[in-house]
């Protein structure tokens, strides 16, 4: 049982802007662990409550192609989910690890977990062949070196190839050397001269040993053949070559052309090139050596990410019978090319996201990686600018996708966000990945009716339970938030609950009548329908429905007057000497219906003499067509048909007995044919009393107002003058002798004017002025007798005289005549 330890280190970084905890934690485990093997208690290491792992949706996302590790959500233990082979995962890289992303929600916490895989010694060194041959000339000098085939060990570190061992012999020793990449190779050193005549062949065993515990080994047999001496051996221009090769170089590309020379001629001078025995197998797979020209060409796929450098060992020997091989080393440095696309690994955090999520809500965590190095491996990510999302970088090559604005599911229900990861190489390579972000609905939209109000027309006498109309509303929300139920708000219609009149289907909004409506009793009513969604909390909307009950012709006309008495026809008196067109009577009828259904027409249905009376079609007035004759019957029976304009029309009849008399009495106590029923009579009497009272009151108010205005005008004006001084001045300037008797009871607007004429007679004038006369220069005087004893002729004569006075005339009279002392 392997003993292993694990260690944990945590580097925490808090991005306070988005309330996201970003941290890194590291585990170290050996490879080849069985399923369920304990890695660590990640919940304790992160300080999390194990009872809330499921509630907070604890999960891990692997950056590798396989899910090597998993977490037990009950206890927070991280365990091996699949066997890990370090050689398969990382090949010959000395450091092997992979990354996990841990995501916890409510609140959002992000952790980066690095798992290092330690190598175990599960691979033994292996030679490419179980035995190989080596030809050495007997003339080889002691100290000559001969490269041997190298063994391969897939393990790394201490478990990799550590050394070579050579079986005991007389002529050779082993020299173990280290390449630049740390791998070991062995060279055979000739310690004492060889003698072909004594021994042609030598057999030895080469053992490769690793450094694992316990150690592992592999062996190969070396067959050495001693050849006759060859005068000249080939010689390379250099023992060490260093070249650069770009990765992904096409097959057949010449890496370098080696050149070796041999001073011999003929077959002894012809040189062949080949890999040395200790050339690694990986090198033999990637490169080839042209045996004739010495060109090293690309044979396989050169990948910088797998190996940044290759050491190629090449030998050259001639074709002579005792050819001796010479060796050189070629170091090939691989130049990185931007040949790897960036990889995008998406970890969904919250999808769908609620439409009321505040800006800054984390939607996803994204990691990117590029196998290239340098600028070719630096990656930058971006998303379009027209979406309400942004990318923020947390760790290097780690990004969080967050909202930068409020979302509205009713406007856009989902977003296809194209993430572009682009490296810094030349030319740059990029990878696009589409992230689907769905917006979940919240109940933020109240139901909306198609109309602000509804008007419904219902014909009366409907069947109970009949559908009146359908009221529908729409809700822009989705799923349960858009499910609507309908109801009618409680209200009273003519003192009765609305629920006794109509009902509504809560699912589809159909409104039904619960009773048969009568237009004559209820012409219209109003109900309020409420639509409520199923969201939490629910939202509501109301709409008013106006229901008008349309009239049907279901009421026949009713004759109001004249009314029969004691089940006999009404009696109307007609004077015998009535002229043609004489109004005999008027049929008054009423129809409880409305509109055209209440429009009445009158016509004679039966008559004792059709040529004597006629009925007005629209008013029902009965008039004589001609004068009554002496031979006309004294009693005429007339049946009038009253019908409405409905479809079909309804009708009623009125029977009238016309009594022809010689003279109509002044008092007709019995006028029952025009009398109304007690109900209508009381109503008409009431209307008559109210009308007479209103007219009388209006007339009285008008008289009072007029009298008041008249009194105010009389008080403010006297003969057109507004002051006593003005009256005195006018009188003084006149040529009249005005005498105002003290204590006189005459009206204030009338004064006595005494004047003398050329014959010495005295006259008394009564001066009456209108209120507007104060604005005029003319005065109109009416003569009157001061004593009242003058003769009527004098009075009439003075009444026909008119005295006109003005300031101009007064001044003229003063200049032309002599004034008396009385002036």
């Amino acid at each position: 049982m392997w003993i292993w330890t694990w260690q944990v280190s945590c580097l925490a970084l808090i991005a306070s802007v988005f309330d996201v905890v970003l941290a890194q934690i590291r585990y170290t485990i050996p490879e080849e662990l069985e399923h369920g093997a304990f890695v660590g208690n990640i919940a304790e290491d992160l300080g999390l409550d194990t009872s809330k792992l499921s509630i907070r949706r604890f999960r891990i996302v692997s950056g590798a192609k396989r899910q090597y590790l998993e977490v037990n959500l009950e206890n927070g233990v991280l365990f091996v989910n699949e066997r890990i082979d370090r050689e398969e995962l990382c090949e010959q890289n000395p450091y092997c690890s992979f990354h996990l992303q841990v995501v916890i929600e409510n609140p959002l916490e992000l952790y980066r977990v690095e798992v290092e895989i330690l190598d175990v010694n599960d691979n033994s060194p292996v030679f490419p062949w179980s035995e190989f041959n080596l030809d050495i000339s007997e003339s080889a000098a002691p100290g000559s070196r001969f490269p041997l085939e190298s063994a391969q060990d897939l393990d790394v570190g201490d478990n990799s190839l550590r050394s070579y061992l050579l079986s005991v012999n007389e002529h050779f020793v082993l020299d173990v050397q280290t390449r630049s990449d740390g791998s070991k190779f062995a060279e055979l050193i000739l310690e004492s001269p060889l003698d072909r005549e004594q021994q042609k062949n030598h057999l030895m065993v080469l053992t490769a040993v690793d450094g694992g515990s316990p150690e592992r080994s592999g062996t190969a047999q070396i067959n050495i053949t001693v050849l006759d001496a060859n005068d000249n051996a080939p010689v390379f221009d250099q023992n060490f070559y260093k070249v650069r090769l770009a990765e992904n170089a096409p097959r057949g590309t010449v890496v370098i052309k080696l050149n070796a020379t041999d001073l011999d001629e003929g077959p002894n001078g012809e040189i062949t090139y080949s890999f040395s025995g200790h050339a690694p197998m990986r090198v033999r797979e990637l490169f080839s050596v042209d045996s004739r020209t010495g060109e090293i060409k690309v044979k396989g796929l050169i990948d910088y990410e797998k190996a940044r450098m290759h050491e190629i060992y090449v030998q050259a020997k001639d074709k002579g019978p005792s050819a001796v091989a010479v060796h050189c080393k070629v170091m090939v440095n691989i130049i990185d090319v931007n040949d790897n696309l960036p990889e995008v690994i998406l970890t969904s955090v919250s999808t769908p996201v609620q439409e009321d999520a505040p800006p800054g809500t984390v939607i996803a965590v994204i990691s990117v990686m590029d196998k290239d190095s340098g600028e070719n491996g630096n990656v930058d990510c971006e998303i379009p600018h027209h979406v309400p999302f942004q990318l923020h970088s947390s760790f290097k090559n780690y990004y969080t996708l967050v909202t930068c604005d409020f979302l509205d599911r009713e406007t856009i229900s989902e977003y296809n966000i194209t993430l572009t990861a682009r490296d810094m190489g030349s030319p740059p390579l990029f990878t696009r990945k589409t992230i689907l972000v769905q917006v979940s609905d919240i109940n933020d939209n109240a139901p909306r009716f198609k109309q602000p109000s509804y008007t419904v027309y219902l014909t009366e006498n409907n069947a109970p339970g009949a559908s009146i109309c359908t009221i529908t509303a729409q809700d822009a929300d989705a799923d349960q938030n858009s499910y609507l139920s309908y109801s009618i708000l409680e209200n009273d219609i003519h003192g009765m609950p609305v629920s006794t009149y109509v009902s509504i289907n809560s699912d589809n909004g159909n409104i039904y009548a619960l009773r048969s409506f009568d237009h004559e009793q209820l012409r219209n009513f109003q109900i309020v329908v409420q639509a409520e969604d199923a969201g939490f909390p629910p939202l509501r909307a109301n709409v008013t429905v106006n229901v008008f009950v349309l009239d049907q012709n279901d009421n026949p006309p009713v004759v109001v007057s004249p009314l029969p008495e004691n089940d006999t026809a009404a009696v109307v008196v007609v004077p015998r000497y009535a002229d043609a067109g004489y109004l005999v009577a008027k049929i008054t009828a009423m129809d409880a219906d409305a509109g055209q259904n209440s429009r009445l027409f009158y016509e004679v249905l039966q008559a004792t003499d059709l040529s004597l009376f006629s009925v007005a079609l629209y008013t029902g007035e009965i008039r004589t067509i001609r004068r009554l004759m002496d031979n006309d019957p004294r009693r005429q029976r007339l049946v009038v048909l009253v019908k409405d304009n409905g479809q079909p029309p309804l009708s009623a009849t009125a029977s009238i007995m016309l009594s022809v008399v010689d003279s109509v009495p002044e008092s007709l106590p019995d006028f029952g044919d025009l009398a109304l029923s007690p109900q209508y009579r009381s109503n008409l009497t009431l209307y008559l009393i109210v009308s007479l009272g209103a007219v009388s009151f209006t007339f009285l108010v008008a008289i009072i107002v007029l009298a008041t205005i008249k009194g105010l005008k009389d008080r403010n004006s006297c003969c057109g003058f507004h002051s006593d001084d003005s009256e005195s001045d006018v009188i003084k300037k006149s040529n009249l002798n005005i005498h105002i008797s003290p204590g006189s009871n005459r009206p204030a607007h009338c004064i006595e004017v005494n004047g003398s004429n050329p014959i010495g007679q005295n006259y008394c004038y009564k001066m009456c002025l209108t209120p507007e006369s104060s604005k005029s220069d003319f005065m109109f005087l009416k003569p009157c007798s001061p004593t009242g004893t003058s003769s009527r002729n004098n009075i009439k004569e003075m009444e026909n005289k008119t005295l006109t006075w003005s300031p101009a005339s007064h001044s003229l009279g003063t200049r032309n005549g002599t004034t008396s002392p009385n002036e």
Side-chain angles (χ1 to χ4, degrees), residues 450-683:
K450 295 182 178 179
Q451 300 176 205
S453 64
Y454 290 83
T455 300
V456 179
Y457 298 95
L458 173 65
T459 304
E460 65 174 333
N461 301 321
N462 60 286
S467 176
I468 297 177
C469 65
T470 300
I471 305 299
T472 57
Q474 295 178 342
D475 197 315
D477 294 322
D479 300 329
Q480 180 178 350
N481 295 330
S482 65
Y483 177 77
L484 301 180
S485 61
Y486 301 90
S487 62
I488 298 177
L489 298 184
E490 287 298 328
N491 192 14
D492 288 342
I493 300 177
H494 289 187
M496 297 292 291
V498 68
S499 58
T500 62
Y501 286 84
V502 291
S503 66
I504 191 169
N505 188 315
S506 60
D507 294 327
N508 54 29
N510 287 339
I511 299 178
Y512 300 94
L514 298 181
R515 60 171 63 184
S516 179
F517 292 98
D518 188 355
H519 173 81
E520 288 71 40
Q521 295 181 359
L522 180 65
R523 299 198 172 190
N524 62 79
F525 60 92
Q526 193 177 81
I527 61 175
V528 179
V529 176
Q530 182 178 88
E532 179 179 314
D533 59 29
F536 184 81
L539 300 178
R540 305 172 182 86
N542 298 339
V543 70
T544 300
V545 180
N546 297 299
V547 181
F548 291 89
V549 181
L550 299 181
D551 182 53
Q552 273 189 337
N553 193 25
D554 57 344
N555 291 282
V558 176
V559 178
V560 177
S561 68
L563 294 176
E565 293 184 359
N566 300 325
D567 297 331
T568 60
V571 178
V572 176
V573 176
V574 182
R576 177 171 294 278
Y577 302 106
D579 293 329
Y582 176 79
L583 178 60
V584 177
K586 181 177 181 180
I587 304 297
T588 303
M590 297 181 64
D591 195 317
D593 295 323
Q596 291 294 325
N597 295 330
S598 64
R599 187 178 181 185
L600 302 180
F601 302 97
Y602 303 85
E603 62 182 45
V604 177
L605 183 62
Q606 295 178 4
T608 304
D609 187 353
L610 293 175
S611 64
L612 187 56
F613 300 99
S614 66
V615 177
L617 179 62
Y618 301 109
T619 62
E621 294 179 345
I622 302 175
R623 296 180 181 272
T624 57
I625 299 176
R626 58 178 175 81
R627 288 181 59 88
L628 296 174
M629 308 298 291
D630 292 337
N631 56 353
D632 290 330
R634 298 185 64 85
R635 296 181 66 85
Q636 299 279 341
R637 179 178 179 81
L638 189 64
V639 178
V640 178
L641 175 67
V642 184
K643 64 178 180 179
D644 56 29
N645 198 34
Q647 293 296 328
L650 301 179
S651 62
T653 58
S655 297
I656 301 176
M657 187 65 67
L658 301 175
S659 178
V660 181
V661 296
D662 294 332
S663 61
V664 178
E666 294 181 1
S667 176
L668 296 176
D670 187 10
F671 202 65
D673 55 332
L674 296 179
L676 301 177
S677 64
Q679 178 181 358
Y680 291 113
R681 185 163 52 246
S682 61
N683 290 340

Side-chain angles (χ1 to χ4, degrees), residues 352-359 403 405-413 415 438-445 476-478 481:
V353 58
Q354 287 192 348
E355 60 178 323
D356 62 342
T403 60
D405 201 351
F406 290 99
L407 306 178
D408 187 1
R409 189 206 65 83
E410 289 72 36
T411 304
I412 302 177
S413 60
Y415 294 87
Q438 294 180 332
V439 182
S440 63
D441 183 56
I442 63 170
N443 193 26
D444 59 343
N445 289 278
D477 294 322
N481 295 330

Side-chain angles (χ1 to χ4, degrees), residues 277-293:
H278 57 272
M281 184 58 64
R282 180 62 178 166
V283 171
R284 298 173 187 265
E285 294 174 354
L286 296 178
F287 301 96
S288 65
V289 178
D290 191 313
S291 61
R292 187 177 60 86
T293 63

Side-chain angles (χ1 to χ4, degrees), residues 72 88 137 157 161 200 210 214 219 256 309 342 373 401 431 487 492 570 639 643 678 681 687 699 713-714 781 788 793:
N72 186 334
E88 178 184 357
S137 173
L161 182 64
K200 295 183 178 179
D210 64 20
T219 61
I256 189 175
M309 181 270 297
S373 61
L401 179 66
T431 298
S487 62
D492 288 342
V639 178
K643 64 178 180 179
R681 185 163 52 246
Y687 296 156
F699 182 74
K713 290 183 178 180
D714 291 343
L781 302 179
N793 294 332

Side-chain angles (χ1 to χ4, degrees), residues 375-438:
E375 290 297 320
N376 296 333
N378 292 334
V379 182
D380 186 27
C381 293
E382 62 181 5
I383 60 175
H385 299 289
H386 63 272
V387 295
F389 301 94
Q390 287 180 346
L391 278 178
H392 294 279
S393 179
S394 49
F395 295 119
K396 180 181 179 182
N397 293 337
Y398 278 81
Y399 296 86
T400 53
L401 179 66
V402 301
T403 60
C404 63
D405 201 351
F406 290 99
L407 306 178
D408 187 1
R409 189 206 65 83
E410 289 72 36
T411 304
I412 302 177
S413 60
E414 64 180 22
Y415 294 87
N416 286 314
I417 304 173
T418 301
L419 173 69
T420 302
R422 181 179 286 103
D423 61 26
M424 303 299 178
S426 179
L429 300 179
F430 61 88
T431 298
R432 285 193 173 97
K433 189 177 185 68
T434 300
I435 304 173
L436 177 62
V437 178
Q438 294 180 332

